[in-house]
Amino acid sequence: MKILVTGFDPFGSEKINPALEAVKKLPTQISGAKIITLEIPTVFNEVGPIIQQAIQTYQPDLVLNVGQAGGRFNITVEKVAINLADARIADNQGNQPLDEAIFADGPTAYFTQLPVKAIVSALNENGIPAAVSYTAGTFVCNYVMYYVQHLISTRYPKIKGGFIHVPYIPAQVVTKPNQPAMSLEDIVKGLELAIAAMVTYNGLEDIKTIGGTEH
């Protein structure tokens, strides 16, 4: 089994992106699966084709994209991506799409193929705060998740894909009062546990447990 894991480059004035730093620290094998890592740009129009080229090159069984979600307390496993790019701020190349469809012929939304509740359970059982998320936002993270899901739907039906958001690391919140953070070591551990759960539940249904939200 081959798993392509991507992490975004630092965004805006940030000098570090914990998603990328954690991805770079992943071992080359997890639970028998070969791990292939890739740095991707925080740029709307560039990132999708880069991932598509990597899929063609490496032919992975699973694509896991990892991004930063500053302000979140937990590692959050995304359940759904929506067909909307609506950027509150510009990306790293100054692009700022407003109320645009990611694919004009795409459905309103896609659900991930990953066992999100099993992943969250594995992290929590090992002391890593995690939760299911039902919104990946409308910035480049959601764009990437939707883009990969559309590729799976239209070109690569045997591949599974998903997205995980990680919090700030402590060095990032020194000048951001009252913002939550998680150590890079715990983020790496969380991603390793998540990937192990993906391997374990490959071909199986997700577990049935509470994971919904009221708002």
Side-chain angles (χ1 to χ4, degrees), residues 164-175:
I164 291 179
H165 269 119
V166 301
Y168 286 135
I169 57 175
Q172 291 178 284
V173 300
V174 172
T175 59

